[in-house]
Amino acid sequence: MSSSPVLIRTKDDVVRVINESADAPHSRIIGFIALGGFFLDAYDFTSLSAGSVQMKAEFGLSASQLGFVTAVMAFGAIIGALCGGYFVDRFGRLRMFIVNLLLFVGATLGAAFAPNYESLIVLRLLIGVGVGLDVPVAMAFLVEFMAMKKKAKWVESAAALWSAATICGLLVALVLNALGAGTSLWRWEVGLGVVPALVILLLRFKYMAESPMWAATKGDLAEAVRILSATYGRPFELAPDAAALSHPDEQTGPFRPFVQLFTGEFRKRTILISVISAAQSIQFSSVGFYLPLIVFSFFHSSFSVSLLASVFANACGLCGGLLAANVANRLGLRKLSIIGFSGVASVLVLLGLFGRVIPSVLGVVLLAFFIGAHTFGPGSTAQSMSAMSYPTRVRGVGAGLSQASNRTGSLVALYGVPVLLGAFGLYHALLILLVAPVIGLVALAVIKWEPVGNVSDDEPESVFGSPAQAAGPEATIPTRSI
């Protein structure tokens, strides 16, 4: 005998169903597909890093030209994140999910066959736009399909997947190098990224649905009911007395959502998220992107040895990301960020002061700890905070702004690190990079915002009771407001 349908009367009912539900198989599938974009982003980042020497040799690039190839993608991601965040909130999660991946597939395939430096620059810019579009929509899906007590775990898993993709990219480079790819290594490395992208695209066409929270926020409760029934495998019905929204959450202009992020209760958390996003990006792009080069400075050995050491370091990052995902509800994102920034700062001090005299193996172990601490802390929490700190109507814009801050930090690092290395040398440059984790720690000390266990205006206390009750028994940290 089938169970009686659950009646949906208001937007709050839709939010309550999702936040109080157990994990449904279909919602988990949506979660894994949403995370796929982070895999593609990390793989592409790694493929360019691992193949930079071969690319430079093939096109005869100067150091500044090579840096521009890297930086132009970050610039494209800033554009994609800011525009995409608005479009995600304005036109829906699902449409942008398909558009950004189609753009990524086409531009990546074109980049692998780029005939010259100029065409490569244009295609890398388009790849960046696709990546920038993907992050806001992916984070929105994770938050808007998962139960309250599982949200932090899912969004924190993005960092672990990033590390896994980085390892895959490095291993592919090792195989290609062993097969004698030569100067074409970077083309094969970049082009192979199309394979997982196509798989994820097909899965998105087959399994993805629009966010029921977004549909309800836009006043389409009937569509939200349809999605809930399909996702959770049990009947939902629109109640005869359902409250139609006379004024659904519509944005009157492209700038109004951004203004809202810096208004009222959102202002401090937006500043905190933007600072953390930029600071963590500077520290990671400075060390993570140049990791093979830094490792080489310790071992003075072959390209393959350098890549293998980088694989080890990123395996530590994978462990850090998985650990963060499993303790996020208990510790909270703020505490994870503090621990991670502190670990990164400690490594920079040790390498900066003693890097010349410590054994090579210890140097690589410290770099591995750096990656692990980063992934455990701000490398995962910056984007998670942006997804969990805003209501549905501006969640995409909030995540987009965080991603834009992230990519701005990448631009600063990718252009600044070569300058620092040339002017001060490796070890003094590492000490100068201490400014990034220190700024992050200062921001966390001044603005004490914790999204885990708190209730946004999408989840009013009139529906869920206290924030601690809404978070479920796993959320043991106290709620705090700014």
Side-chain angles (χ1 to χ4, degrees), residues 215-419:
T217 298
K218 294 300 178 181
D220 194 348
L221 284 176
E223 176 65 6
V225 167
R226 187 193 67 78
I227 299 169
L228 289 175
S229 298
T231 301
Y232 293 99
R234 54 194 177 99
F236 293 86
E237 284 186 6
L238 189 64
D241 59 342
L245 295 177
S246 57
H247 299 288
D249 292 333
E250 295 287 351
Q251 307 297 347
T252 57
F255 299 108
R256 182 184 175 193
F258 293 97
V259 172
Q260 290 180 340
L261 295 183
F262 291 92
T263 302
E265 65 177 298
F266 297 141
R267 182 186 300 111
K268 287 185 178 180
R269 65 184 73 170
T270 298
I271 294 172
L272 176 65
I273 291 166
S274 299
V275 171
I276 292 177
S277 296
Q280 67 84 22
S281 182
I282 289 173
Q283 69 186 28
F284 179 76
S285 297
S286 298
V287 176
F289 183 80
Y290 294 101
L291 188 60
L293 176 63
I294 296 173
V295 169
F296 185 81
S297 71
F298 285 116
F299 279 112
H300 300 288
S301 189
S302 67
F303 176 70
S304 296
V305 171
S306 179
L307 288 181
L308 281 172
S310 299
V311 168
F312 167 71
N314 281 283
C316 293
L318 175 60
C319 293
L322 291 174
L323 180 61
N326 283 283
V327 301
N329 255 0
R330 291 193 292 274
L331 295 182
L333 302 185
R334 181 173 179 270
K335 188 173 290 185
L336 290 182
S337 300
I338 292 172
I339 294 171
F341 273 132
S342 299
V344 165
S346 300
V347 172
L348 290 175
V349 169
L350 289 173
L351 289 178
L353 294 178
F354 306 110
R356 293 182 182 86
V357 297
I358 61 175
S360 300
V361 173
L362 179 57
V364 173
V365 170
L366 286 173
L367 286 171
F369 184 81
F370 176 103
I371 300 297
H374 171 85
T375 309
F376 177 80
S380 59
T381 58
Q383 199 65 50
S384 301
M385 277 192 175
S386 71
M388 298 180 66
S389 295
Y390 303 108
T392 300
R393 68 179 186 274
V394 291
R395 182 170 288 122
V397 174
L401 181 61
S402 172
Q403 183 63 194
S405 300
N406 182 338
R407 299 298 175 166
T408 301
S410 295
L411 279 174
V412 171
L414 293 173
Y415 268 116
V417 167
V419 175

